Amino acid sequence: MKKVDVLIIGAGPAGTAAAYGLKAKGKTVAIVEADLWGGTCPNRGCDPKKLLMRGVEVKTEAKRMQGNGVQGQVAIDWPALMAFKRSYTDRVPESTKQGLLAEGITTYYGQAAFRDAHTVVVDAEEIQAEKIIIATGQRPAVLPIVGKEHLQSSTDFLSFEKMPATIAFIGAGYITFELAMIAQAAGAEVHVIHHNDQPLKGFDAELTAEMVRSMQDQGVSFHFNQNTQRITKEQNHYTIQTQALSLPVEAVIGATGRRPNSDQLQLEKAGVETSKQGIVVNEFLQTSQRHIYAIGDVLAKKQPKLTPVASFEAAYLVDHIDDQKTPIRYPLIPTLVFGEEKLARIGISEQEIADHASEYHSEVIDLSSWYTYRRINDQNAKIKLVYDTSDTIVAVTIVSALADELINHFVFVLENQLSKEALAQMIFAYPTPASDLSYFL
Ligand SMILES: Cc1cc2nc3c(=O)[nH]c(=O)nc-3n(C[C@H](O)[C@H](O)[C@H](O)COP(=O)(O)OP(=O)(O)OC[C@H]3O[C@@H](n4cnc5c(N)ncnc54)[C@H](O)[C@@H]3O)c2cc1C
Ligand SMILES: NC(=O)c1ccc[n+]([C@@H]2O[C@H](COP(=O)([O-])OP(=O)(O)OC[C@H]3O[C@@H](n4cnc5c(N)ncnc54)[C@H](O)[C@@H]3O)[C@@H](O)[C@H]2O)c1
């Protein structure tokens, strides 16, 4: 039987970061993966999505400049864009595995399950470990409706050989907004079906509405307050039935959230507690069995389930796995929806702002005439700043093609509580989103 100091289950961003860090600290480390080495983000999440999004960006930039010195439309060649995506993603699993092996980390391929609190079985092989880290991520949730077998997921979309002529997304969260924009730019007729009238919950409703408007301008149809009841397969299409809608489409993507990969681990044999949201941990990322830890998307936590958050938790464990003196403290976490326009936010939650409305005030600034945004003809660019009673910025939401850049500058400003005077002591390259920063303070 193989014995190691630390066994890690799941080789996504969380598991691999923990494996490299703990190995570098002198531990013997083994890692198990049941599917694609590298996990969701580089194989079927952030990275392939953003490679496809590059086609949208180029098309949009050309469109924005029509009549302003740029002529001719840019069209997306889906098979070629997909080949461009694959030129990156095809290499990820093998290069991830080779990277782990090169550092002396033992790898196992197969579905891991606990035999007892110190023993994990992979393909009938037993591995014993002093400490175990669960980093098994999440998988798409499947709506429990009649015809659920006809639903496809974001994973299917990110490998489409051919873009369907008509496509519907159920659920108006991160995945739908991003993939809907890709599908629309690639020439599909796109529908979004959402069960209430609050898309992208967690983002500011006013600027989310701007994002919806901008997607509607591009031709995306939103159907709010529609409960999907059934999906039926006809000869060459599917029909989505809600209480008021009967919509024929070629493909239906279910994007109604993700579920933790904790149910196949036989955690009851190890005495590890779970909830519907995932594996329950304390402020040291220890599960109910103190030598078993959990990190990344599989955690039941209030922080967003994102790659940099998974990496942050891995880095915390690397530093603190042998001492439980310093609880994990999360910094501010920016969240961002990519698209033709991007929606980004940072700061205290929208729930907190709504619950204590009298303690906060806000202003929305139209950025479209500011030089940085005017230059790229970003006519929808806006920022919303929320202040507390001492006029300190506590939350920022941005809708703009440059929201991804600008929000990261606010990470520095808010984390370091930089004042206008402090910013005046710095010189930023001009003209860039950073050189506008002092005007917001
Ligand atoms: C379409 C999409 C787009 C996204 N875009 C972004 C983005 O732009 N930015 C961002 O920050 N985040 C994004 N995310 C989220 C991001 O992918 C996750 O937060 C991140 O991958 C979490 O890392 P993880 O290591 O916790 O889990 P994962 O990356 O899911 O890795 C877990 C691994 O564990 C393996 N595993 C599961 N069960 C077992 C078992 N029993 N035995 C062995 N192995 C097992 C799985 O096969 C998987 O490889 C996106 C996600 C999706 C789906
Ligand atoms: N840019 C990014 O950082 C990025 C991009 C994609 C995914 N992600 C990660 O992946 C996670 C999953 O994304 P997601 O879009 O699946 O989840 P999500 O939680 O963002 O959105 C799911 C949406 O489905 C809706 N919904 C639930 N039940 C429904 C029903 N019966 N009918 C219609 N709508 C219903 C919810 O109200 C919600 O708006 C995200 O929370 C995030 O952690 C991040």
Side-chain angles (χ1 to χ4, degrees), residues 172-311:
Y174 281 87
I175 289 181
T176 286
F177 269 72
E178 296 184 337
L179 302 190
M181 270 325 296
I182 294 173
Q184 205 285 329
E189 176 188 312
V190 179
H191 296 267
V192 174
I193 301 173
H194 193 53
H195 60 160
N196 56 34
D197 58 1
Q198 295 174 324
L200 291 177
K201 214 161 168 252
F203 284 86
D204 172 75
E206 193 180 351
L207 293 204
T208 298
E210 293 283 340
M211 185 86 168
V212 169
R213 253 195 303 280
S214 132
M215 287 171 69
Q216 284 170 327
D217 287 347
Q218 302 310 314
V220 175
S221 300
F222 283 85
H223 308 275
F224 290 122
N225 296 313
Q226 293 298 315
N227 261 314
T228 302
Q229 292 163 343
R230 66 163 56 83
I231 302 167
T232 47
K233 187 171 178 4
E234 321 289 340
Q235 249 179 355
N236 51 7
H237 69 270
Y238 300 97
T239 299
I240 303 172
Q241 195 68 50
T242 73
Q243 74 273 28
L245 194 71
S246 181
L247 187 69
V249 287
E250 278 184 22
V252 194
I253 306 292
T256 51
R258 290 169 61 80
R259 293 285 161 268
N261 288 324
S262 51
D263 47 349
Q264 291 144 352
L265 289 166
Q266 304 201 12
L267 290 170
E268 61 289 353
K269 293 190 179 168
V272 171
E273 197 186 308
T274 61
S275 74
K276 243 178 100 180
Q277 284 73 41
I279 296 180
V280 178
V281 292
N282 64 13
E283 55 189 354
F284 304 106
L285 302 182
Q286 293 171 300
T287 68
S288 46
Q289 278 285 355
R290 297 306 184 221
H291 67 284
I292 302 179
Y293 302 76
I295 53 176
D297 280 8
V298 75
L299 283 190
K301 59 181 172 183
K302 63 177 191 327
Q303 286 75 21
K305 297 188 169 181
L306 299 172
T307 291
V309 183
S311 309

Side-chain angles (χ1 to χ4, degrees), residues 341-360:
E341 295 282 354
K342 303 172 184 98
L343 182 68
R345 90 173 304 281
I346 191 168
I348 61 167
S349 71
E350 294 302 324
Q351 194 61 53
E352 161 65 25
I353 296 167
D355 288 349
H356 302 98
S358 61
E359 292 168 28
Y360 302 109

Side-chain angles (χ1 to χ4, degrees), residues 10 13-14 33-34 39-41 46 49 111-112 135-137 296-297 305-308:
E33 174 53 54
T40 305
C41 183
C46 344
K49 169 211 57 198
Q111 187 83 31
T136 48
D297 280 8
K305 297 188 169 181
L306 299 172
T307 291

Side-chain angles (χ1 to χ4, degrees), residues 137-154:
Q138 293 178 296
R139 60 179 182 277
V142 180
L143 264 190
I145 51 167
V146 177
K148 62 178 187 291
E149 64 277 14
H150 305 311
L151 285 168
Q152 292 185 285
S153 70
S154 53

